[in-house]
Amino acid sequence: MSEHMSYADAGVDVDEGARAVDAIKGAAASTDRPGVMEGLGGFGCLFDAAPFKAMEHPVLVSGTDGVGTKLALAQRLGRNDTVGEDLVAMCADDVVVTGAEPLFFLDYVAVGKLRAEEMAQVVGGIAAGCRKAGCALIGGEMAEHPGVMAADDYDLAGFCVGVVDAPKMLGKDNVREGDVILGLASSGIHSNGYSLVRAAVTDRMDDAGLLEPRAELGGESLADALLAPTAIYSGAVVRALAAGAHVHALAHITGGGITENLDRAMPADLDALVERGADGSVAWDVPPVIGYVSRAAGLTPDEAFKTFNMGVGMAVVCAPEDAEQVSAAFAEQGFPTFAVGTVVPGEGKVRYTA
């Protein structure tokens, strides 16, 4: 006769899974918004599309992403409460660049060993991100993977859906020669470039070194600076557009930095000309942690601008005559703008003044 073995004996704790679900219900409920038809617990997630009928041509916009190897540092230091904000930022801010309002969000958490308290921290961060983005956390999945993942390991993926009226869509088709490029400040490295961060900095340092306050970081520790949650712009963008901000295009500055993201807002016959000194200096503030890691890795200015956001989390393209009005609209939402560059004839690329 074969030996009796339960699911728990195989490494999957169904009871702990149920406790985890109960622990996150309140967090998900805190993200409720008009359109949500059912909370957690159903097989499928329901969102009311009837209001879209008032639009001339409603278009659904979706985005999916993860947090990447920033998770390795968060897990190493036992800080699981903000990586969920990173997850929402990576998805919702990709959706909003079209001018779409993020509506709802779903998450997928894969974990080696499920611990309800740890998952409540992770999903609590996701809920906090959803509140900032203005979207509802309406569902998701927690999957325990014994034998596939280490017990202390987890990974995150997110999925966001938004809607925009086609005549109001933002994008490269609206961009014109002479347009100005404004920046919205990043909160740090955000969620890209952490494989380099780990190789050049954190893997060479013990935990005490990571937790030590550093003068070159304004008194912050590397742990705090590197795990600062990604700024979430989508809520501010939606409100600024609703207030009448005349924006032509947006670019979410993620993996590939300014060089490989700002060009996505340029038509084939125009370039983004970014104001930069020969030494890589710029007129706006770059978070000190970006300079710290760039120096530790020995990056040239071109390499740094192709790796990190360099202080620009979101780029806003608008006509020069609208720049003051657009800046005022974003400042009202807590995101003062700064000049980054201009749009000039070219080939759909990003160029630098030096």
Side-chain angles (χ1 to χ4, degrees):
M1 294 178 64
S2 61
E3 177 186 359
H4 173 267
M5 182 175 290
S6 69
Y7 208 3
D9 293 330
V12 177
D13 190 339
V14 176
D15 292 335
E16 187 69 4
R19 285 190 288 273
V21 171
D22 287 340
I24 67 175
K25 283 183 177 178
S30 73
T31 69
D32 190 41
R33 56 155 291 157
V36 176
M37 298 178 66
E38 185 177 297
L40 300 184
F43 288 103
C45 305
L46 307 179
F47 195 92
D48 187 5
F52 307 159
K53 295 178 181 178
M55 294 183 175
E56 182 179 334
H57 183 175
V59 176
L60 293 178
V61 184
S62 61
T64 185
D65 211 332
V67 180
T69 59
K70 186 176 185 177
L71 288 178
L73 182 59
Q75 291 163 12
R76 172 181 167 180
L77 295 174
R79 298 189 180 185
N80 306 303
D81 56 341
T82 58
V83 290
E85 291 191 44
D86 294 307
L87 183 66
V88 175
M90 298 304 292
C91 299
D93 284 343
D94 276 357
V95 166
V96 82
V97 297
T98 62
E101 177 183 2
L103 300 172
F104 58 85
F105 190 90
L106 296 95
D107 62 60
Y108 177 83
V109 184
V111 61
K113 179 64 177 177
L114 190 60
R115 299 179 178 89
E117 181 179 344
E118 181 179 78
M119 288 301 99
Q121 293 173 353
V122 171
V123 179
I126 294 173
C130 285
R131 292 192 296 271
K132 291 180 179 180
C135 57
L137 176 59
I138 62 173
E141 170 73 359
M142 286 183 292
E144 199 167 14
H145 292 321
V148 176
M149 303 175 70
D152 293 332
D153 196 16
Y154 65 83
D155 196 12
L156 306 178
F159 182 83
C160 185
V161 173
V163 66
V164 62
D165 202 351
K168 298 180 180 180
M169 284 183 66
L170 308 181
K172 63 178 65 178
D173 290 344
N174 302 322
V175 176
R176 301 288 180 266
E177 180 182 348
D179 279 356
V180 296
I181 304 166
L182 306 175
L184 305 183
S186 69
S187 55
I189 292 181
H190 285 183
S191 299
N192 300 102
Y194 277 82
S195 292
L196 178 60
V197 169
R198 291 169 59 219
V201 179
T202 63
D203 286 355
R204 304 181 180 191
M205 196 174 291
D206 60 19
D207 290 357
L210 291 175
L211 296 170
E212 175 188 350
R214 295 178 179 272
E216 61 265 52
L217 299 181
E220 262 195 318
S221 68
L222 271 170
D224 289 341
L226 291 172
L227 290 177
T230 304
I232 295 176
Y233 306 99
S234 52
V237 169
V238 169
R239 292 188 293 271
L241 294 176
H246 298 148
V247 175
H248 287 169
L250 296 167
H252 187 199
I253 310 302
T254 55
I258 292 175
T259 305
E260 294 190 353
N261 284 285
L262 185 51
D263 61 342
R264 297 160 73 176
M266 295 295 112
D269 60 343
L270 296 175
D271 282 354
L273 183 62
V274 175
E275 296 289 336
R276 188 184 77 180
D279 59 352
S281 60
V282 291
W284 62 87
D285 292 332
V286 178
V289 69
I290 294 179
Y292 183 99
V293 175
S294 297
R295 290 190 297 272
L299 299 183
T300 66
D302 282 347
E303 289 172 331
F305 277 75
K306 198 175 180 179
T307 304
F308 299 121
N309 62 59
M310 304 309 293
V312 183
M314 184 77 75
V316 182
V317 184
C318 66
E321 62 269 22
D322 293 327
E324 184 175 349
Q325 181 257 0
V326 168
S327 294
F330 278 101
E332 182 71 20
Q333 300 304 323
F335 284 98
T337 65
F338 47 86
V340 170
T342 55
V343 177
V344 298
E347 301 174 340
K349 299 179 181 179
V350 174
R351 292 192 276 130
Y352 298 94
T353 53

